[in-house]
């Protein structure tokens, strides 16, 4: 499942790319010999002329809507780009999460240490490294688990699922989403001297 941020980024980049491609195509074909093949509604420019000359610009400025529309579009585009940029910044997550019991809280560092110990204790796990990010009422846990040589991942995944389900119950009212990346520890290569 993709992150919503990655999907939004791809959508914005695709839209901007299509707009730039359309504008570039128009600029590249508007004053060339291809103008005969363009649809009738496609705007064309005569040879040696500019897209928007002084007379056309003066005519547009005579309309009351022109200045307000250009200013509003510029402001809206700027605000949207600033908001998009700010959403890309990594925001440090809270280290203390309030729980349902009055006066109780959970330190994300303590949860991380407990989960690391529990996952490392699973039979067949050589080592584990994890990150916890909290956002609103969701805990996102990313685990990198190295399996011991000749360990089947199926049994290990079942045990890790049980550990994360127990952690989700302990972290109520937060929901926990865990992503596990499995790798195998390599057999040590025999050295012959």
């Amino acid at each position: 499942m993709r992150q919503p941020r990655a999907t939004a980024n791809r959508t914005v980049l695709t839209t901007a790319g299509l707009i730039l491609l359309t504008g570039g195509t128009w600029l590249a074909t508007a004053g060339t010999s291809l103008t005969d093949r363009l649809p009738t509604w496609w705007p064309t420019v005569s040879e040696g002329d500019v897209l928007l000359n002084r007379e056309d610009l003066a005519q547009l400025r005579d309309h009351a809507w022109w200045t307000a529309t250009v200013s509003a579009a510029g402001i809206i585009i700027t605000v949207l780009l600033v908001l998009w940029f700010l959403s890309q910044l990594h925001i440090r997550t809270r280290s203390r999460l309030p729980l349902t019991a009055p006066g109780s809280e959970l330190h994300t560092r303590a949860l991380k240490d407990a989960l690391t110990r529990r996952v490392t204790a699973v039979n067949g796990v050589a080592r584990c490294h994890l990150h916890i990010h909290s956002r609103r009422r969701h805990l996102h846990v990313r685990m990198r688990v190295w399996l011991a040589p000749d360990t089947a991942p199926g049994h290990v995944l079942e045990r890790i699922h049980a550990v994360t389900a127990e952690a989700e119950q302990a972290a109520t009212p937060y929901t926990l989403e865990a992503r596990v990346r499995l790798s195998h520890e390599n057999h040590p290569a025999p050295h012959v001297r």
Side-chain angles (χ1 to χ4, degrees):
M1 186 171 182
R2 291 184 181 160
Q3 296 285 345
R5 179 182 291 181
T7 304
N9 286 345
R10 288 181 182 147
T11 304
V12 168
L13 289 174
T14 302
T15 304
L18 288 174
I19 290 170
L20 291 173
L21 180 67
T22 304
T25 303
W26 178 54
L27 288 173
T29 60
T32 66
S33 62
L34 295 175
T35 54
D36 304 345
R37 298 183 212 156
L38 294 174
T40 56
W41 54 266
W42 193 271
T44 59
V45 178
S46 60
E47 192 71 32
D49 203 1
V50 294
L51 289 175
L52 190 60
N53 57 26
R54 289 181 188 264
E55 293 82 23
D56 293 340
L57 187 59
Q59 287 177 356
L60 285 174
R61 286 184 178 156
D62 287 341
H63 300 290
W65 59 266
W66 171 254
T67 305
T69 303
V70 170
S71 298
I75 290 170
I76 290 171
I77 290 171
T78 303
V79 167
L80 289 175
L81 288 173
V82 166
L83 289 174
W84 182 45
F85 172 74
L86 291 175
S87 73
Q88 303 306 306
L89 296 176
H90 176 70
I91 299 170
R92 190 177 177 109
T93 57
R94 297 175 295 174
S95 63
R96 295 179 182 189
L97 306 172
L99 298 177
T100 52
S104 64
E105 58 187 25
L106 175 66
H107 292 267
T108 55
R109 178 73 182 185
L111 180 62
K112 176 183 174 182
D113 292 342
L115 278 174
T116 303
R117 280 195 308 273
R118 294 289 308 276
V119 171
T120 307
V122 171
N123 190 20
V125 173
R127 57 190 167 114
C128 172
H129 183 71
L130 62 90
H131 294 284
I132 297 178
H133 300 284
S134 63
R135 181 171 249 174
R136 295 186 185 98
R137 291 287 183 187
H138 301 285
L139 293 174
H140 301 279
V141 178
R142 289 184 295 140
M143 288 186 213
R144 175 79 188 269
V145 178
W146 286 269
L147 301 177
D150 301 325
T151 301
H155 173 70
V156 172
L157 280 175
E158 289 174 11
R159 297 294 303 146
I160 291 174
H161 177 69
V163 169
T164 56
E166 185 180 324
E168 184 173 17
Q169 284 181 335
T172 303
Y174 293 88
T175 58
L176 189 138
E177 175 189 333
R179 293 177 187 231
V180 181
R181 181 177 173 194
L182 296 175
S183 300
H184 267 91
E185 288 276 314
N186 293 332
H187 287 286
H191 294 285
V192 178
R193 291 184 185 216

